[in-house]
Amino acid sequence: MDDGNHDVARRAVLMTAGAGLSAGLGAGLVSNLAQAEGVTAAAAGEASVWSQEYWAEKNGVKLNLWRKRVGAPKAGEKPLPILFLVHGSSNSTRSSYDLIMPPGKGEYSLMNVMAREGYDVWTMDHDGYGYSGSSGNNSDIASGVEDLKAAMPVIQKETGISKMHMYGTSSGAIRAGAFAQAKPEHVERLILSAFTYKGTGADEIARRRKRIDEYRANPRRKRDAEMIRSIFTRDGHPGSTDPGVPDAIIAMEMKFGNTIPTGTYLDMAANLPLVDPKKVPAPVLMIRGEWDGNSTNEDLLDFYAQLPNGDRQFVILPNTSHSIGYGKNRHLLWYAIKNFLAAPATIAS
C-alpha cells in the first residue's frame, strides 16, 4: 500500500454522496462500539432465532438456501424486510455468515445479528459449494449470478417479496454487484464489502494473476486447513482476528472436502472489472478494512465515484483486514450495515 493509500486507511471514513467525499465515520460510531456489542448480547438473550433450509434449482443442480429470522413466519403477518447474504470464494455460506464459535467467544453470526434487528435473513451455497450440488463448472461470477436468479422465485414464494437488500463480501460482493446490474428490480439497497473493482495495485490480486494458467486448467482448487488459515495472515495483520476463528471455519468446511471451485479466483485474476458501476442503480454502501490486500482505496473510490445513485456511502473500518465479518472489530461492520439499511427515505427536491 502506498503512503497516500495508508494515510487514508489509518482512520475510519464515511464518504457520502454529493460534492465532496469528506465526512468522517465519526465519534458516533466510536462511542457506540461497546453499546453496539452490548445491545446485540442483550437481544440474543431475548430473541429466539428460527431457521429453515430450502432448495432452488438451476439447470438440474440443487442449490441450498438457508434462512433465519426471529420467530417462524405466520400466515397473514406483515413480511419482514429481506437481507440476502452472498458468500465469497473460499468458504460456503454457513461458515461465512452463521459461524458458531465456542462459548465465551462472542457472536460471529451475521445472520443472527441481523435477524435480531428485524430482518428476514437469507443466504445460499453457490454451485459447487457446501450443501449445494455441483454442475461441474468452475462457479465463476456469471454462474453465481445465475444461482442468485434461481433463488429469487423461492424467496418470493415464501415471503411474497421480490425486492430485497443484498450484502456480498469479497467475490460475493462482485456476485452481488453483478446481480444488481443484471436484475436491478430485485435489489433495494446493496452492500459491497471487501469488494474488488479492477484490482489495480492490490497485493492479493497480483498474487492470483501469477496463477492464471493454473486456474484456467482446473475447475477446482485446493482449499485445505492451511489455505483457510492463510486467509487471516496474508494481509499482514493476523492479530486483527481471533485465532479460534480459522479453527471454527475449518471444522465446518472440511466435511465438504478440501477443494472448492476456481472460477471466482480466475475472474479476479484475469477478467476484472466484472461490475459496471454506472449500471448499478441501487443505493450502495461500499465498506472495506484498512488492511485489505484485495483492493486499494483508489480502486474502490474509482468505482464509488461512478455510481449513479446519490444515496451512497464509502466506509473504511480501522484495525481490520480483508475478512471483515470474522475480525475482532466486526461490530463496526454491524453498525455500518444497520445504519445504512435503516436510512430514512430521501425527500425529493
Side-chain angles (χ1 to χ4, degrees), residues 84-87 97 166-174 176 190-195:
F84 193 102
L85 309 175
V86 187
H87 73 74
Y97 296 123
M166 187 164 281
Y167 171 99
T169 190
S170 193
S171 67
I174 302 176
L190 175 66
I191 303 174
L192 303 178
S193 171
F195 180 65

Side-chain angles (χ1 to χ4, degrees), residues 179-318:
F179 178 79
Q181 177 178 310
K183 291 290 183 180
E185 66 273 17
H186 289 306
V187 181
E188 187 74 34
R189 298 177 78 81
L190 175 66
I191 303 174
L192 303 178
S193 171
F195 180 65
T196 304
Y197 178 32
K198 297 178 180 177
T200 306
D203 292 342
E204 176 61 18
I205 303 305
R207 287 190 286 267
R208 294 181 193 182
R209 284 173 177 160
K210 295 176 181 179
R211 302 176 64 184
I212 287 175
D213 291 342
E214 175 188 341
Y215 298 148
R216 283 185 173 140
N218 300 283
R220 296 182 72 85
R221 61 183 173 88
K222 188 175 182 180
R223 191 284 321 265
D224 56 7
E226 182 180 356
M227 189 275 156
I228 290 174
R229 293 187 194 283
S230 76
I231 296 170
F232 302 98
T233 61
R234 70 191 189 200
D235 291 331
H237 294 272
S240 64
T241 304
D242 187 306
V245 167
D247 292 335
I249 296 171
I250 289 164
M252 293 182 73
E253 287 293 327
M254 288 300 101
K255 64 188 175 186
F256 301 123
N258 66 354
T259 66
I260 36 89
T262 306
T264 56
Y265 264 40
L266 176 58
D267 272 341
M268 294 174 78
N271 300 319
L272 295 174
L274 291 159
V275 183
D276 182 348
K278 295 185 291 295
K279 296 180 180 178
V280 179
V284 175
L285 166 63
M286 298 182 69
I287 186 165
R288 69 177 306 239
E290 69 169 308
W291 300 316
D292 188 347
N294 279 50
S295 63
T296 63
N297 292 325
E298 291 81 3
D299 184 47
L300 298 183
L301 287 169
D302 181 13
F303 184 94
Y304 175 87
Q306 298 179 66
L307 290 167
N309 196 319
D311 187 350
R312 52 186 174 170
Q313 298 176 12
F314 189 100
V315 174
I316 300 171
L317 302 185

Side-chain angles (χ1 to χ4, degrees), residues 64-85:
N64 186 265
L65 282 83
W66 184 236
R67 179 188 187 188
K68 282 192 162 186
R69 48 168 283 166
V70 171
K74 299 177 182 178
E77 72 177 353
K78 182 180 179 181
L80 299 175
I82 297 173
L83 173 61
F84 193 102
L85 309 175

Side-chain angles (χ1 to χ4, degrees), residues 33 240 291 317-320 324 326-334:
L33 301 189
S240 64
W291 300 316
L317 302 185
N319 300 312
T320 304
I324 299 174
Y326 296 126
K328 293 177 181 177
N329 286 308
R330 63 197 180 281
H331 50 287
L332 298 180
L333 172 68
W334 303 343

